[in-house]
Amino acid sequence: NAGVTQTPKFQVLKTGQSMTLQCAQDMNHEYMSWYRQDPGMGLRLIHYSVGAGITDQGEVPNGYNVSRSTTEDFPLRLLSAAPSQTSVYFCASSYSGGFLDTIYFGEGSWLTVV
Amino acid sequence: AQSVSQHNHHVILSEAASLELGCNYSYGGTVNLFWYVQYPGQHLQLLLKYFSGDPLVKGIKGFEAEFIKSKFSFNLRKPSVQWSDTAEYFCAVIPSGGGADGLTFGKGTHLIIQP
């Protein structure tokens, strides 16, 4: 049971480049989300999905795009990377979004934009 | 929308000292509450959670937390800390009736345990 798998673990981008952070879960969870973690800011929700084909914005969605074509996968796209997007990104999944069950987190993706 | 406040951003303790990390939330209805821990270089792991019932919740590694509804608080405690408890601790809240916009996290408390 792999849980929540994120790739890549580390990435350096140049300003203006685009990239996709991959997230996959094997627990058949409907709810998936992306957070970014910055020093002194805790975790902030970027985008979330309550099921295949359904996505919505969180607290800090600007500069990011998501799609959910399958239950298992929830990729996060950076359209044109900016230094302000340097952060640690966590993907999470659960059955119900946390109000009935535990949310499971991936191991994180460290992104640096230069 | 809900919000979470963690009072201490940095805490330094000696081994065997007792620990209490404060967490207060703001929300007009019932909530589910969580404490997560993040060890250096690792992902978040669930320490404990409160959904309903006994307001004193016991978690892993000897941690416990008490939900005091009248104070909107969910403080984390441990009677005797160890060096291995050095980590970042996050309190989080989600409305009990469904929080499609996910957990709301506090800004975290960085705990350092000195040998």
Side-chain angles (χ1 to χ4, degrees):
Chain A
N1 187 352
V4 180
T5 304
Q6 287 182 234
T7 56
K9 194 170 179 76
F10 300 99
Q11 183 72 49
V12 178
L13 283 179
K14 293 183 179 179
T15 297
Q17 285 185 317
S18 62
M19 77 158 296
T20 299
L21 298 177
Q22 301 291 346
C23 176
Q25 52 90 11
D26 62 358
M27 297 173 281
N28 202 30
H29 286 165
E30 289 294 328
Y31 186 97
M32 296 185 74
S33 53
W34 278 100
Y35 290 86
R36 60 177 288 173
Q37 182 184 22
D38 302 291
M41 301 294 290
L43 280 82
R44 293 178 293 169
L45 183 66
I46 304 171
H47 285 285
Y48 65 94
S49 169
V50 299
I54 306 169
T55 64
D56 207 342
Q57 297 180 348
E59 181 185 354
V60 288
N62 292 340
Y64 306 96
N65 222 351
V66 292
S67 60
R68 184 94 179 270
S69 56
T70 66
T71 299
E72 294 77 21
D73 301 299
F74 190 45
L76 178 72
R77 297 182 189 84
L78 280 71
L79 308 172
S80 176
S84 60
Q85 293 178 302
T86 294
S87 187
V88 184
Y89 292 85
F90 288 98
C91 180
S93 78
S94 68
Y95 282 114
S96 64
F99 72 94
L100 288 177
D101 66 320
T102 300
I103 293 180
Y104 295 89
F105 286 86
E107 294 192 343
S109 296
W110 274 254
L111 176 66
T112 301
V113 182
V114 298
Chain B
Q2 65 271 23
S3 65
V4 179
S5 175
Q6 290 182 241
H7 313 300
N8 311 101
H9 296 300
H10 297 277
V11 174
I12 301 175
L13 294 173
S14 298
E15 274 193 316
S18 64
L19 169 71
E20 181 160 2
L21 301 182
C23 172
N24 285 88
Y25 69 92
S26 173
Y27 184 70
T30 57
V31 295
N32 294 343
L33 295 151
F34 305 81
W35 275 99
Y36 281 87
V37 61
Q38 185 179 31
Y39 298 105
Q42 296 188 26
H43 65 292
L44 280 81
Q45 302 172 40
L46 182 68
L47 269 180
L48 48 79
K49 61 187 179 186
Y50 172 80
F51 283 3
S52 63
D54 189 344
L56 184 61
V57 179
K58 294 193 184 297
I60 61 172
K61 306 188 181 199
F63 286 91
E64 65 178 31
E66 185 176 12
F67 172 49
I68 302 178
K69 189 174 181 180
S70 61
K71 295 185 178 180
F72 298 89
S73 69
F74 190 56
N75 292 354
L76 181 70
R77 301 194 292 245
K78 186 171 184 178
S80 176
V81 293
Q82 302 170 313
W83 176 80
S84 57
D85 292 325
T86 293
E88 190 98 19
Y89 292 81
F90 294 95
C91 182
V93 63
I94 192 168
S96 299
D101 55 352
L103 286 178
T104 298
F105 286 85
K107 294 185 177 182
T109 297
H110 188 199
L111 176 66
I112 297 174
I113 306 300
Q114 296 176 329

